[in-house]
Amino acid sequence: NSVYFSAFPVLEKEIKEGKIPWDKESVIQLYDQICEQANSTFGDFMLEAFHCPSSRSGVIQAGREIVAQSGLYITKKRYAALVIDDEGKRTDVDGKSGKVKAMGLDLRRSDTPVYMQDYLKEVLLMVLEDYPKDEILERITEIRQEFKEMPSWEKGTPKKVNNLTTYQDAMKKNTKATVPGHVRASLNWNTLKKMNSDTFSQDIVDGMKVIVCKLKNNPMNYTSIAYPVDQLCLPEWFKELNFDDDTMEETIIDKKLRNLIGVLNYDLERTKRDTTFNSLFDW
């Protein structure tokens, strides 16, 4: 198990008075010493708590893992830290401020598009490097604008389709059968492909990776449609669909940003207003 803590609150008075240096090198040395001090207490603790002889208590040790310049702690097992030393190896080298260690965040989730993973990493690094809030919000506004300019079908969510055939058989027996949204979206692709006499595009089959796009009102009453990730050339009938860009923006940008930096209580709605305002003056 790991535990993360800062010695600053305990030593704040001495640090501000200049009695204790508080730079990267001294902080790394301090936490190394704290680790050694903690290890020196295990022998007596194991003897008192578990009657463990010294010949066996020596196997219980702590290891100083990382020293971070800053951290963002969201919930249990969901956090990020800007690491400057990783088990004795400095990471703030070659002009880098450090290495980002992220646990349980959307940066690595398979249902987060690669471009959005890059955006999230950029925003997270700005937060960890203590950029002014206004600059971070300005960058998010730019990200929204870049997203709006993308073709609608590139704004979907990556998914993997399993048990497609099983669900399809279940729907034949019961039209009200419960089917996961991305599976239904994949079946919608296969249906519309057939309706448009499209013999060139791929069918979606079991185990295939797809991109799921949201749809606005349409004659088929479809709320979403998927297409194969490996479909290099999308058919015109697909591109002409009535895509729901706003819902996809909510899913890909708003939800991901709230999960990442929602604990900071930034006014993310402002980035929407700024984007709308700027678009009024685009010619």
Side-chain angles (χ1 to χ4, degrees):
N1 291 329
S2 299
V3 59
Y4 296 94
F5 69 95
S6 172
F8 182 82
V10 178
L11 304 174
E12 183 177 3
K13 181 180 178 182
E14 290 82 355
I15 293 169
K16 290 183 176 179
E17 292 176 350
K19 297 178 180 179
I20 296 178
W22 198 255
D23 52 42
K24 291 181 179 180
E25 286 70 23
S26 62
V27 167
I28 291 171
Q29 184 179 8
L30 171 64
Y31 289 127
D32 285 340
Q33 292 172 349
I34 291 174
C35 182
E36 294 172 5
Q37 185 65 33
N39 282 334
S40 69
T41 67
F42 285 140
D44 293 340
F45 169 76
M46 295 299 290
L47 177 62
E48 181 179 347
F50 305 107
H51 303 290
C52 183
S54 59
S55 60
R56 293 183 179 273
S57 63
V59 301
I60 307 299
Q61 287 190 342
R64 196 274 289 160
E65 186 180 356
I66 66 170
V67 177
Q69 176 176 308
S70 58
L72 178 64
Y73 295 87
I74 303 167
T75 59
K76 184 178 180 180
K77 296 186 178 180
R78 293 185 62 233
Y79 65 88
L82 184 58
V83 179
I84 60 172
D85 186 286
D86 189 354
E87 297 185 354
K89 182 179 179 181
R90 293 295 290 266
T91 56
D92 55 338
V93 295
D94 300 328
K96 298 179 181 178
S97 56
K99 178 181 72 174
V100 175
K101 178 179 181 179
M103 296 294 291
L105 304 183
D106 286 351
L107 276 65
R108 298 177 179 175
R109 285 178 58 97
S110 60
D111 63 351
T112 304
V114 174
Y115 66 83
M116 194 60 204
Q117 292 181 21
D118 293 338
Y119 283 147
L120 292 175
K121 290 175 185 175
E122 183 181 351
V123 171
L124 177 61
L125 187 58
M126 293 179 74
V127 170
L128 293 175
E129 291 182 342
D130 200 25
Y131 273 64
K133 181 173 67 174
D134 286 344
E135 288 189 32
I136 296 173
L137 291 174
E138 176 61 29
R139 180 56 188 135
I140 293 174
T141 300
E142 294 172 356
I143 290 171
R144 286 191 188 279
Q145 188 60 41
E146 292 169 22
F147 183 84
K148 288 180 181 297
E149 293 172 358
M150 293 168 55
S152 296
W153 48 88
E154 292 182 7
K155 301 177 182 179
T157 301
K159 294 285 185 178
K160 185 175 181 179
V161 183
N162 293 319
N163 302 318
L164 184 72
T165 305
T166 302
Y167 285 115
Q168 189 169 20
D169 292 341
M171 288 178 63
K172 289 179 181 178
K173 298 177 182 178
N174 179 11
T175 56
K176 296 183 179 180
T178 301
V179 179
H182 65 288
V183 174
R184 193 175 292 275
S186 301
L187 294 173
N188 292 344
W189 162 272
N190 289 344
T191 300
L192 287 180
K193 175 180 171 295
K194 187 178 297 184
M195 289 176 60
N196 284 276
S197 303
D198 182 354
T199 58
F200 297 97
S201 302
Q202 302 178 64
D203 281 330
I204 295 178
V205 297
D206 289 328
M208 186 174 281
K209 292 182 178 180
V210 300
I211 304 295
V212 180
C213 299
K214 298 295 184 180
L215 296 174
K216 293 182 180 179
N217 293 335
N218 56 82
M220 299 293 290
N221 290 322
Y222 289 166
T223 58
S224 61
I225 186 169
Y227 65 90
V229 169
D230 297 329
Q231 182 70 39
L232 300 180
C233 184
L234 291 171
E236 287 303 315
W237 64 261
F238 177 80
K239 294 180 179 180
E240 292 171 357
L241 294 174
N242 193 16
F243 293 99
D244 191 344
D245 294 72
D246 291 338
T247 299
M248 289 191 282
E249 182 176 342
E250 166 66 26
T251 302
I252 297 298
I253 294 187
D254 294 274
K255 185 177 179 181
K256 302 293 183 182
L257 285 173
R258 283 196 298 267
N259 288 344
L260 182 67
I261 60 173
V263 293
L264 299 176
N265 294 321
Y266 285 178
D267 183 11
L268 297 179
E269 289 298 315
R270 169 183 146 185
T271 64
K272 292 183 181 180
R273 294 193 297 270
D274 290 348
T275 303
T276 303
F277 179 80
N278 291 337
S279 66
L280 293 175
F281 294 92
D282 288 341
W283 299 91

